[in-house]
Amino acid sequence: MKRRYRAILPIGLAGLLSGCATYSEDGGLAFVETAVVGELDARPTVIRDADTAAQSQALVRDLLQQPLDADRSVRIALLNNRGLQAAYNELGLAETDMVAASLPPNPTISIGRIAAGGLPTEIERQIIVNILALATLPQRSEIARTRFRQAQYVAALETLRVGAEARRAYYRTAAAHQSVHLLEQARLSANATSELLAELGRTGAATKIDQAREQAFYAEVAAQLAKAKVAHTREAETLNRVLGLWGQDLDRLKETGRLPPLPARPATTEDIEVEALRRRLDVQVARLELDALAKSLELEEATRFIDLAELSAIYVTEDEFVLEDGVEYTETTNRPGFEVALEIPIFDFGETKVRRARETYLLALNKLAERGVEARSQAREAYQVHRATYDIARLYRDEVVPLRRIVSEESLLRYNGMIEDVTDLINDARAAIQSNVAASEALRDYWLATVDLDVALVGGAPGDAAPGDMASAAAGAGGGDH
């Protein structure tokens, strides 16, 4: 019989250990890469050692040697953004939780010795195993796997969010740089006109009021240029933060280029709502949350009457001093046994934990439905804004700016022919500057709307709460731990 038990024990342990999860070589990043590479055209990198850090830094320096654009900004952010690396560390923690949840509970060993003068010495050894945790191990392991897959989706979402922020920061910085360039040209032109009027004023060919008007115009343009430089500094620092740049990397950073031109036609989508529900990762996270909570609820209902179930193997050795025929010797008696400990549900029949699990499941169900409604609405909004900003940018490019250019040229001709005074010339020049700046901002808004549309179709609208918030909150309420 003992031999049979000795054979069964290793087989049982091998069976339990075969169901245990193991650590993946990439820490779960392969799924993240598959999910984002098609959206960002860049691969995420997790930095876990000095070699990988050095390789990433070398890639960043190579990218900084080239003129910055939106795609290079995304690549640099995926290599250099420490907040994103922290998200990958959280993914690694989720994997450790999955592996830990798949392991059988550790047994507890206790040894006690009782001895008193003249009485036999008793040594008691116990091995205590939580058989409830052992029996529910497959269910807990499956829940942990679902949680890990959920963490992979959250990491992919965070990667997409950082990539989108890098694109937005680049477009805003490029637009601010263009505004500075336009106003600098306007300031130089206004300065030349102001100096010319000053020369004419000394000869009596220009009135004092015309000189004052032109100088005021020059001062206004200079003030606008100063404000534009402040705005550019802010946007550039925002870009630096997203890209994780500091120190010598800032010296290597090339000046941001111009905004990309307006494409020939805007993006079109057959059914924007269906596409959003099919692609959005935050909806997938909510579905996995619901799946995990459904399994937790099932486990809570199955174990509602039992919170404690322990099996103890007991082995007692008793040494007794025996005096027989004048000879003293020790007689040892071994007594094996076992003990089962169960919690008696007198005051709590498990209703509270089952009700908590059920309410948590319903919470997640309603959150998923809410997320679906939000996804549809955000996709519609992003698409309509994308189309509207395209039309606005095209209107500025094709009509407003060319017409303002014609007005400025004709106004200058009329001023030179002494048909108009300097006031009309200044007003037309001011309107032309505003039109050029507004055209640049309209083009910026179009590209920002393009990013927002991509985000709304894949991972949620700008300003959404972090996708893992609901998961973590609900997980704390219904984890199904035993």
Side-chain angles (χ1 to χ4, degrees):
M1 183 67 71
K2 290 183 178 178
R3 290 181 179 178
R4 180 183 301 174
Y5 288 150
R6 289 173 182 172
I8 292 175
L9 183 60
I11 294 174
L13 288 174
L16 287 173
L17 294 175
S18 65
C20 299
T22 57
Y23 293 104
S24 59
E25 294 183 358
D26 57 3
L29 197 67
F31 175 86
V32 178
E33 180 176 335
T34 303
V36 306
V37 70
E39 306 293 340
L40 298 179
D41 194 22
R43 296 182 183 280
T45 300
V46 59
I47 300 174
R48 290 199 173 93
D49 51 51
D51 292 339
T52 309
Q55 294 172 4
S56 298
Q57 192 61 34
L59 289 173
V60 169
R61 289 172 182 169
D62 289 342
L63 290 169
L64 290 176
Q65 297 300 322
Q66 306 167 50
L68 197 63
D69 59 15
D71 291 338
R72 290 194 185 94
S73 299
V74 173
R75 293 192 194 105
I76 294 173
L78 263 56
L79 288 167
N80 213 35
N81 188 293
R82 291 297 178 176
L84 183 59
Q85 291 299 319
Y88 295 155
N89 295 141
E90 290 181 358
L91 178 59
L93 291 174
E95 187 176 38
T96 61
D97 292 341
M98 178 191 68
V99 174
S102 69
L103 297 175
N106 290 323
T108 302
I109 298 177
S110 67
I111 299 177
R113 180 178 183 274
I114 301 174
L119 296 177
T121 301
E122 183 176 295
I123 300 175
E124 181 178 294
R125 308 173 189 84
Q126 286 191 22
I127 299 179
I128 306 170
V129 177
N130 187 340
I131 56 176
L132 179 60
L134 199 60
T136 58
L137 180 61
Q139 290 81 3
R140 290 187 296 110
S141 180
E142 182 62 27
I143 293 171
R145 287 191 180 90
T146 303
R147 293 289 186 200
F148 178 58
R149 176 51 61 92
Q150 193 178 16
Q152 288 179 305
Y153 273 104
V154 172
L157 268 174
E158 182 63 13
T159 306
L160 293 173
R161 187 192 67 79
V162 171
E165 283 302 313
R167 288 189 188 278
R168 290 193 189 100
Y170 170 78
Y171 290 140
R172 290 193 178 105
T173 305
H177 181 255
Q178 281 189 213
S179 295
V180 170
H181 179 69
L182 290 171
L183 289 170
E184 180 65 31
Q185 288 182 324
R187 188 190 67 83
L188 294 174
S189 177
N191 184 39
T193 306
S194 178
E195 291 178 353
L196 177 61
L197 281 179
E199 289 293 331
L200 293 175
R202 282 191 281 273
T203 62
T207 62
K208 189 172 182 180
I209 191 170
D210 286 345
Q211 296 177 57
R213 282 170 177 160
E214 183 58 36
Q215 289 174 357
F217 175 64
Y218 169 75
E220 289 175 3
V221 174
Q224 291 180 20
L225 175 61
K227 289 182 180 179
K229 288 182 177 178
V230 171
H232 177 252
T233 300
R234 287 176 175 165
E235 299 299 349
E237 285 302 324
T238 300
L239 179 62
N240 292 336
R241 287 195 292 273
V242 177
L243 302 189
L245 300 178
W246 63 283
Q248 296 180 348
D249 286 342
L250 293 177
D251 300 331
R252 300 185 182 93
L253 180 63
K254 305 290 185 184
E255 188 60 72
T256 51
R258 298 173 58 86
L259 285 170
L262 197 66
R265 59 185 61 84
T268 56
T269 304
E270 291 293 333
D271 195 333
I272 195 76
E273 297 181 25
V274 173
E275 186 173 353
L277 290 179
R278 181 179 61 82
R279 295 173 58 190
R280 280 182 63 141
L281 298 185
D282 60 335
V283 176
Q284 301 300 325
V285 171
R287 284 173 179 161
L288 286 171
E289 174 67 22
L290 191 65
D291 186 27
L293 289 176
K295 293 170 183 173
S296 296
L297 175 60
E298 183 179 353
L299 184 59
E300 295 289 3
E301 289 178 337
T303 61
R304 61 180 302 175
F305 296 113
I306 303 175
D307 263 347
L308 173 66
E310 292 181 343
L311 175 64
S312 304
I314 304 173
Y315 195 81
V316 178
T317 301
E318 184 177 298
D319 293 335
E320 183 177 5
F321 297 106
V322 178
L323 181 61
E324 184 174 337
D325 299 333
V327 177
E328 186 178 14
Y329 63 92
T330 302
E331 182 176 291
T332 301
T333 304
N334 295 321
R335 289 179 291 145
F338 68 90
E339 178 182 291
V340 176
L342 295 173
E343 182 183 87
I344 302 175
I346 297 177
F347 304 107
D348 184 1
F349 288 90
E351 182 64 22
T352 55
K353 66 178 184 180
V354 171
R355 186 177 288 270
R356 173 179 289 277
R358 187 177 297 124
E359 291 298 329
T360 306
Y361 173 79
L362 293 175
L363 182 151
L365 181 63
N366 286 318
K367 287 290 184 182
L368 174 59
E370 181 188 31
R371 182 68 67 176
V373 173
E374 289 177 350
R376 291 174 180 272
S377 174
Q378 291 167 353
R380 291 195 303 269
E381 178 185 355
Y383 184 67
Q384 291 168 4
V385 171
H386 173 262
R387 290 301 306 263
T389 54
Y390 179 85
D391 293 338
I392 294 170
R394 186 174 59 179
L395 186 65
Y396 271 101
R397 184 196 64 181
D398 296 344
E399 298 188 32
V400 176
V401 172
L403 289 174
R404 280 296 175 191
R405 186 183 303 117
I406 293 173
V407 169
S408 296
E409 293 172 354
E410 290 297 322
S411 180
L412 181 60
L413 292 175
R414 294 170 68 85
Y415 174 76
N416 293 334
M418 302 183 69
I419 300 176
E420 289 184 355
D421 60 10
V422 72
T423 303
D424 296 329
L425 181 65
I426 291 174
N427 288 337
D428 290 336
R430 183 183 290 114
I433 294 171
Q434 292 174 350
S435 297
N436 285 325
V437 173
S440 176
E441 293 175 349
L443 185 59
R444 175 203 62 191
D445 292 342
Y446 166 75
W447 286 111
L448 291 177
T450 302
V451 177
D452 292 345
L453 177 60
D454 292 339
V455 171
L457 289 177
V458 180
D464 269 5
D469 287 353
M470 184 186 72
S472 58
D481 295 334
H482 287 276

